[in-house]
Amino acid sequence: MVKVLFVCLGNICRSPLAEGSFRKLVETEGLAGRILADSAGTGGWHVGEPPDKRAREAAARRGIDLEGLRARRVEPGDFDAFDYVLAMDRDNYRILNEARPAGAKARPRLFLDFAPELGLSEVPDPYYGGDDGFERVLDMVEAGARGLLAEIRRDRL
Ligand code: 4NP
């Protein structure tokens, strides 16, 4: 089983959208038994909460189901439990690198490195913006999800 962890700050906007988008792609491709997706936040303010309502609604419009997800914080064991630990932006990438136990299996990577065609390195935080921010996040994470699955197919399956 290949295990992927998507990480943002609050685990209520970007990383649940990335998780849901990637999971939908994996299911569509018939790989649900071989690839597992999860998400977490580097901050703890929203632990136990479902994804932001705007994220759930934007996801639902694209056939992505975020029901049942609850925010959790990244923990040291995640770096051995997961093969991929993917940060939504540079701040969280830096925090993950500092939190990674020495010798752990996974090294953090920037999620959008899997979508070089976008010419972007960060998924912008949509929390304080309008609804269109969530649509843009979905466009980005869907592109990242496709690139990530291509690498997993090439290197791990
Ligand atoms: P996320 O968005 O990191 O994409 O889940 C945020 C959600 C909440 C906060 C910041 C970012 N917050 O500060 O509460």
Side-chain angles (χ1 to χ4, degrees):
M1 183 79 95
V2 181
K3 296 184 180 179
V4 180
L5 183 67
F6 298 96
V7 180
C8 62
L9 180 58
N11 192 209
I12 57 170
C13 298
R14 291 165 291 175
S15 62
L17 287 169
E19 175 188 350
S21 173
F22 183 64
R23 179 176 294 127
K24 181 185 173 200
L25 178 63
V26 164
E27 288 172 358
T28 302
E29 298 289 316
L31 294 168
R34 302 184 67 188
I35 302 174
L36 179 146
D38 192 8
S39 65
T42 56
W45 309 282
H46 298 280
V47 166
E49 295 178 16
D52 187 284
K53 186 164 184 284
R54 297 164 295 173
R56 281 183 277 138
E57 290 174 351
R61 287 196 289 273
R62 297 195 191 191
I64 297 166
D65 184 10
L66 301 186
E67 299 311 313
L69 300 189
R70 294 293 179 269
R72 73 169 180 90
R73 210 166 180 179
V74 176
E75 37 191 270
D78 288 329
F79 295 90
D80 277 310
F82 289 88
D83 302 287
Y84 289 88
V85 177
L86 303 177
M88 296 297 132
D89 61 29
R90 293 188 185 286
D91 272 352
N92 287 297
Y93 176 71
R94 177 180 48 75
I95 292 165
L96 286 170
N97 270 311
E98 288 167 3
R100 174 180 176 265
K105 179 169 70 177
R107 284 187 188 280
R109 294 169 67 177
L110 274 169
F111 180 43
L112 286 190
D113 284 354
F114 291 98
E117 72 276 16
L118 297 180
L120 300 167
S121 56
E122 304 192 294
V123 182
D125 185 350
Y127 188 64
Y128 294 106
D131 285 351
D132 64 326
F134 288 81
E135 297 296 334
R136 276 187 282 125
V137 167
L138 274 166
D139 291 340
M140 293 177 196
V141 300
E142 285 180 347
R146 288 190 293 272
L148 171 61
L149 184 59
E151 178 179 303
I152 291 174
R153 280 189 190 282
R154 192 179 66 233
D155 293 353
R156 310 235 180 199
L157 294 184

